[in-house]
Amino acid sequence: MALRLGSRICLRQLYNAQRRCLSMYYTESHEWVKVDGDKFRIGITDHAQAALGDVVFVELPELDTELDAGEEIGTVESVKAVGDVGCPLGGIVQAVNEQLLDKPGIVNSSPEDEGWIAELELTDSSALEDLMDKDAYEKFLADGA
């Protein structure tokens, strides 16, 4: 029995480690997260940028800011609206995409790649379980999100 229980624990740890390496996750509030080991990047999804329209300003977080999952990391302003960007995982801001200060439209042209907002050191991965993979996010959108 102890071996079986130990195997379950090892399998769970292996599953969690693999899940962290799976890279792309999405939130119901239309942020994306790319996890790479103990770091992750945050941005807004293609769906979010399309809903906002032409992005004219991106507020970036301060370096070394520690955020809990669910806290606001910044804002994205368009000609139509201002949207808050939430931090889906706990972390410490290590880098910001300074290109966005001069060229905020990158969020429109490459929202899930070059339009990243911040990179953080992962301090709490427990919220990963609440995030969606690409298939689940696409189903979420198809269901009228």
Side-chain angles (χ1 to χ4, degrees):
M1 188 71 165
L3 179 59
R4 173 174 262 162
L5 178 60
S7 296
R8 281 187 190 158
I9 292 170
C10 289
L11 286 174
R12 177 177 284 212
Q13 289 171 341
L14 178 61
Y15 170 76
N16 287 338
Q18 287 175 332
R19 187 171 161 106
R20 281 208 317 218
C21 294
L22 285 177
S23 197
M24 209 61 175
Y25 301 96
Y26 300 86
T27 69
E28 289 184 359
S29 54
H30 308 290
E31 291 95 6
W32 58 260
V33 178
K34 279 186 189 174
V35 178
D36 184 10
D38 65 347
K39 296 203 179 295
F40 65 98
R41 282 189 173 175
I42 298 174
I44 66 169
T45 65
D46 186 56
H47 176 84
Q49 72 78 24
L52 282 170
D54 292 336
V55 174
V56 296
F57 178 76
V58 178
E59 177 190 25
L60 301 173
E62 294 288 327
L63 292 176
D64 297 320
T65 301
E66 187 165 358
L67 297 161
D68 292 326
E71 283 190 79
E72 183 181 307
I73 194 165
T75 58
V76 177
E77 183 177 333
S78 75
V79 294
K80 295 193 292 187
V82 176
D84 293 334
V85 180
C87 188
L89 304 171
I92 301 169
V93 178
Q94 300 295 302
V96 295
N97 189 351
E98 292 184 2
Q99 282 186 332
L100 300 179
L101 296 174
D102 295 325
K103 300 177 183 173
I106 295 172
V107 171
N108 295 113
S109 62
S110 185
E112 296 182 18
D113 189 26
E114 297 299 315
W116 62 277
I117 294 171
E119 182 174 89
L120 290 83
E121 177 185 342
L122 185 63
T123 59
D124 182 7
S125 63
S126 62
L128 270 176
E129 296 174 8
D130 298 329
L131 303 180
M132 297 176 272
D133 63 16
K134 187 162 187 78
D135 290 339
Y137 182 68
E138 287 175 356
K139 183 180 181 325
F140 174 73
L141 291 176
D143 290 344

